[in-house]
Amino acid sequence: MIRAIHRWPGIAAALLLVVLALSGAALSLYPAAERLAAPQAKAGMTVADLAGRIAASHPGLEQVRRAPSGQVTAYWFDGGTPRAAVIDPATGQDAGSADPDPLRRWLTNLHRSLFLGDAGRIVTALGAGAMLVLALSGVALVARRTGGWRRWFARLRGPLAGRLHVEIARVAVAGLVLSSATALWMTGSTFDLLPDGARTPAFPAETSGRIGADLAGVAALQLPVAAFRSLSLADPDDPADVHTLKTAQGIGYLDQGSGEMLGWADLSAWQRVSETVFMLHTGQGAAVLGLVLGLMALGVPAMAGTGVILWLSARRARPRIRGNAPPGRAETVLLVGSEGGSTWGFAATLHAALTDAGQRVHAAPMAGFDPARYPNAARFIILAATYGEGCAPASARGFLDRLDRLDRAPEAPLAVLGFGDRSFPAFCAHAEEVAAAAAARGWPQLLAFATIDRQSPQEFARWGRALGAALGVELELLHQPVVPASEALTLISRRDYGAEVQAPTAILRLAAPRVSAWQRLTGQGFARWQAGDLLGVLPEGSPVPRFYSLASGSRDRFVEIVVRKQPGGLCSGQLAELQPGGTVRAFLRRNPGFRPGRGRAPLILVGAGTGIGPLAGFIRANARRRPVHLFFGMRHADSDFLYREELTAWHRAGRLSRLVTANSRGEHPHHVQDALRREAAEVARLIRAGARVMVCGGRGMAAGVRAALDEILAPAGLTPTLLKAEGRYVEDIY
């Protein structure tokens, strides 16, 4: 039994464990290297001395951090441009670049998540779990083989592979247990499976109202640099803002005018344990331990190799059965471009029908297109959806670049079928672009370009009959749209607006469904979401979901959307009639392209009508009081001023820095883009200071905002297009 427990996790996770071990071993070198290279503070130096020196030589200083290695880094703005540098504590001057080492960042992303985001973190956690099982079961097997714990290092006999496997294991097992156990702890913390336990002081209700205290003379900073973590400086233009000090003992707020400590909270016992776990796993703050663990991790590839050899000597590999024909034998190649997965459902229907008609069919994502993989292809069929404003969906990114790099187009003819929604101006725009690019390269045409509106099974069946005629076979595509896995959400409350201006709108708050431990681990269902993600609502009588931007995050423990009733709208009509206690079927879809991002750079949020939804969610989640400036357009303040009370409260709490509204009806009608023009100087200043612009609402409004920002930013040589290329201008429009 123990041998089986030891064998199968090792076989299943061998390659993953090798990748994690090698990347971990490489990362273990960095804490020691950083400790040797970083300028260190002299004994007796205080945080006041350090901060005073850095502030004197770095006007616009925003933050000072000290790493466990002793490396001190400063962050400041220079003429509106963010800067960072490693500091020599002795002088307060720059001692080197603070830019992250690209190789270290690459190794870290590989080690943490395999470049796969949260899904990758779950995979690496499974790898850590497998390693822990392997280590503990291996301990039992070694003890049994050597004749007991007291004979742990007894001489071994048997095949070389077996002896090497055990010799390495009994030296490295302690480090592997420690590394895998701490990795699981850190994953549990990342996915909120462990209590947070964090303590933070209450934000000061009152300050001195003064600014400009000399950091070198602040009494609260008269503590040794060795205990220092970070100091975030207050906004000098806001006397109510405060400095934030973090040390090895806790966190506190300092008055920026008097230097007085306004609030303090010691680290909790749980926080101290979590920090110890982090140190044990990464070696940061314990460089020698990190090197030892890295050396032990190098035993994993050897044990994986010898373990596989041992297993192969007793077992034969089992053949894998594929649903697709191998690429090299395929007569018909289906290339699929899908964002949410629905287009793959159509591809499966087509694949099955063509297979039944005697074809050898291979389906693959458009992103991996390479004609050389299909030497026997007689035809290519592309099923392509369109994402957003005519963009390529996730599984089609890079297809057009690959096509453009070909010496010549394939000789086998091509049919392109687009999937989209005619209510959007960019209906099937990506599929059209693919068809046009193929024609321009001289790719022979099997069928004329065609489209499917709103996943219509009838239109798909008609296209299938045309395809069958072109192939000389009868082809009946009886597609049943796959209804996404959804959950019933119960309406808790609703607030209605806009009846007076003939634009009935409601803020709907729904109860978040219960989440199982498995869903939390895998990220499925409603385990984790953020404001700006999408709620797919399935209206009764339709398998086609309608998407609404979320105005809440999973930490809020409720699901909130803003819905305007559309004339003839099936889903919006049903939601408009939904009363507390009623339910809807819905599911989550991530929207990572519309997130405020991290950091302290200001946010400029621009929205109109229901576009306020995700923007309100961003403000609600702004517990760190990042500067946020909201421009909100409505018809009339007396009818559809959505989130009026919340915005007032958030402004008082410091989560919203400024609110500018625009009423399109009333005494002095103007739109949100007009409000931007009136605040042109401030908007330009914020953007020059690194602000990120986020726009949510209708297409007409978004176009007007872009035009206004073109005018505002022209003197600075900037445009929304340039900001978008830098990742500082994002839109969620409908």
Side-chain angles (χ1 to χ4, degrees):
M1 180 65 179
I2 296 177
R3 189 174 296 278
I5 293 174
H6 185 76
R7 179 189 299 125
W8 296 115
I11 293 171
L15 180 59
L16 172 63
L17 294 179
V18 168
V19 171
L20 295 179
L22 291 176
S23 56
L27 287 169
S28 71
L29 300 173
Y30 283 97
E34 189 175 278
R35 175 72 182 179
L36 293 173
Q40 301 293 316
K42 293 182 179 179
M45 176 177 279
T46 67
V47 176
D49 295 334
L50 177 66
R53 292 174 186 179
I54 298 174
S57 58
H58 295 80
L61 181 67
E62 281 216 332
Q63 190 178 63
V64 179
R65 295 181 190 170
R66 181 181 180 274
S69 65
Q71 177 176 287
V72 176
T73 308
Y75 302 83
W76 73 97
F77 275 90
D78 182 8
T81 302
R83 304 286 188 189
V86 174
I87 300 298
D88 183 350
T91 63
Q93 301 291 329
D94 297 358
S97 172
D99 292 335
D101 178 15
L103 177 59
R104 184 177 186 177
R105 183 168 51 192
W106 186 88
L107 286 169
T108 301
N109 288 334
L110 173 65
H111 188 73
R112 285 181 180 171
S113 65
L114 307 175
F115 310 112
L116 297 176
D118 281 351
R121 288 179 182 269
I122 293 173
V123 173
T124 56
L126 292 174
M131 176 53 70
L132 186 59
V133 170
L134 287 168
L136 295 177
S137 57
V139 166
L141 289 172
V142 170
R144 188 166 70 180
R145 179 169 179 175
T146 58
W149 302 106
R150 294 181 180 180
R151 294 177 53 83
W152 181 260
F153 289 105
R155 184 177 178 181
L156 299 172
R157 296 181 180 180
L160 177 61
R163 285 188 282 115
L164 285 176
H165 191 80
V166 176
E167 290 283 9
I168 296 170
R170 56 188 182 181
V171 171
V173 66
L176 298 179
V177 168
L178 181 61
S179 294
S180 55
T182 52
L184 289 172
W185 179 291
M186 292 170 65
T187 301
S189 179
T190 298
F191 286 94
D192 298 327
L193 299 176
L194 299 176
D196 185 9
R199 291 178 183 169
T200 55
F203 194 83
E206 294 183 2
T207 64
S208 67
R210 304 194 306 273
I211 62 174
D214 182 10
L215 296 177
V218 173
L221 299 181
Q222 302 296 327
L223 67 156
V225 170
F228 174 61
R229 298 280 180 78
S230 70
L231 177 64
S232 299
L233 301 184
D235 182 354
D237 295 327
D238 181 6
D241 200 9
V242 295
H243 302 320
T244 303
L245 173 66
K246 294 183 180 179
T247 73
Q249 287 72 43
I251 180 173
Y253 296 130
L254 307 179
D255 191 296
Q256 66 168 311
S258 66
E260 179 186 359
M261 180 71 73
L262 301 178
W264 176 264
D266 287 325
L267 291 182
S268 66
W270 190 266
Q271 285 176 291
R272 294 181 186 277
V273 170
S274 296
E275 290 188 358
T276 301
V277 168
F278 180 81
M279 177 198 68
L280 292 174
H281 187 78
T282 65
Q284 295 186 35
V288 174
L289 174 63
L291 291 174
V292 172
L293 293 178
L295 186 62
M296 291 181 173
L298 291 176
V300 172
M303 287 189 290
T306 53
V308 169
I309 291 171
L310 291 171
W311 177 72
L312 288 175
S313 66
R315 296 280 185 174
R316 293 183 179 180
R318 297 180 181 179
R320 296 181 62 187
I321 300 174
R322 301 188 179 206
N324 274 349
R329 298 183 60 238
E331 299 172 304
T332 300
V333 178
L334 304 182
L335 299 174
V336 183
S338 179
E339 182 68 28
S342 60
T343 308
W344 279 105
F346 285 91
T349 299
L350 178 58
H351 187 286
L354 290 170
T355 301
D356 290 343
Q359 298 280 338
R360 291 192 298 273
V361 187
H362 178 79
M366 291 173 63
F369 171 61
D370 180 2
R373 297 183 63 212
Y374 311 109
N376 295 310
R379 64 198 62 84
F380 288 87
I381 301 173
I382 292 178
L383 309 183
T386 295
Y387 178 68
E389 297 181 90
C391 299
S395 61
R397 289 171 191 157
F399 173 84
L400 290 172
D401 291 335
R402 288 173 176 264
L403 178 61
D404 188 58
R405 289 196 298 266
L406 293 178
D407 294 333
R408 57 190 178 89
E411 296 179 0
L414 170 71
V416 180
L417 181 64
F419 292 80
D421 186 334
R422 288 191 186 278
S423 65
F424 289 89
F427 173 65
C428 291
H430 174 65
E432 285 185 2
E433 188 177 6
V434 168
R441 294 302 310 273
W443 199 336
Q445 191 177 75
L446 176 65
L447 276 181
F449 173 69
T451 60
I452 303 296
D453 181 32
R454 298 186 182 185
Q455 304 181 30
S456 168
Q458 295 80 12
E459 291 184 7
F460 188 55
R462 285 195 292 272
W463 176 83
R465 287 190 284 272
L467 176 63
L471 299 178
V473 298
E474 288 190 10
L475 205 60
E476 284 295 326
L477 301 181
L478 304 176
H479 180 67
Q480 295 294 326
V482 178
V483 178
S486 61
E487 300 193 43
L489 304 186
T490 302
L491 184 66
I492 301 173
S493 65
R494 61 177 298 146
R495 287 181 287 167
D496 293 283
Y497 301 83
E500 299 86 345
V501 289
Q502 293 74 52
T505 305
I507 299 176
L508 303 181
R509 180 170 292 186
L510 304 123
R514 291 184 178 179
V515 178
S516 67
W518 176 251
Q519 287 177 318
R520 190 178 297 279
L521 281 169
T522 60
Q524 295 177 351
F526 285 79
R528 299 176 74 199
W529 76 91
Q530 298 181 33
D533 285 342
L534 303 175
L535 184 73
V537 179
L538 292 165
E540 293 182 14
S542 173
V544 181
R546 274 56 166 182
F547 291 96
Y548 298 90
S549 295
L550 283 162
S552 62
S554 51
R555 291 182 181 272
D556 297 315
R557 302 186 184 278
F558 56 78
V559 178
E560 189 166 281
I561 57 176
V562 184
V563 180
R564 179 186 171 191
K565 184 177 180 181
Q566 302 293 332
L570 175 63
C571 190
S572 65
Q574 292 179 9
L575 291 174
E577 300 299 323
L578 190 66
Q579 297 301 316
T583 61
V584 294
R585 302 293 306 184
F587 60 94
L588 281 175
R589 177 175 292 177
R590 306 289 182 259
N591 188 19
F594 195 69
R595 299 271 172 81
R598 298 181 179 180
R600 289 286 300 170
L603 282 179
I604 299 176
L605 307 180
V606 185
T610 58
I612 187 65
L615 308 184
F618 299 150
I619 300 168
R620 176 187 278 130
N622 186 28
R624 300 184 66 182
R625 296 170 178 82
R626 178 181 184 175
V628 175
H629 302 257
L630 173 63
F631 292 80
F632 176 37
M634 66 195 84
R635 284 172 171 79
H636 198 286
D638 293 336
S639 64
D640 57 349
F641 195 156
L642 305 171
Y643 291 102
R644 183 201 292 261
E645 296 81 7
E646 289 93 334
L647 290 171
T648 301
W650 292 332
H651 184 267
R652 281 200 216 100
R655 301 190 181 211
L656 175 63
S657 304
R658 190 159 181 240
L659 171 64
V660 180
T661 60
N663 300 310
S664 61
R665 299 186 185 180
E667 219 174 296
H668 303 289
H670 62 293
H671 298 277
V672 70
Q673 52 265 42
D674 302 317
L676 285 169
R677 289 187 177 94
R678 291 182 182 180
E679 302 289 330
E682 177 65 5
V683 169
R685 184 191 70 80
L686 289 169
I687 292 176
R688 286 196 302 271
R692 177 180 175 88
V693 182
M694 306 186 72
V695 182
C696 186
R699 295 178 183 276
M701 180 276 296
V705 168
R706 284 193 296 270
L709 288 176
D710 269 325
E711 298 172 16
I712 293 169
L713 299 176
L718 295 172
T719 66
T721 303
L722 288 174
L723 294 179
K724 186 174 289 189
E726 296 174 4
R728 293 172 53 203
Y729 188 93
V730 293
E731 297 175 314
D732 186 7
I733 58 180
Y734 42 85

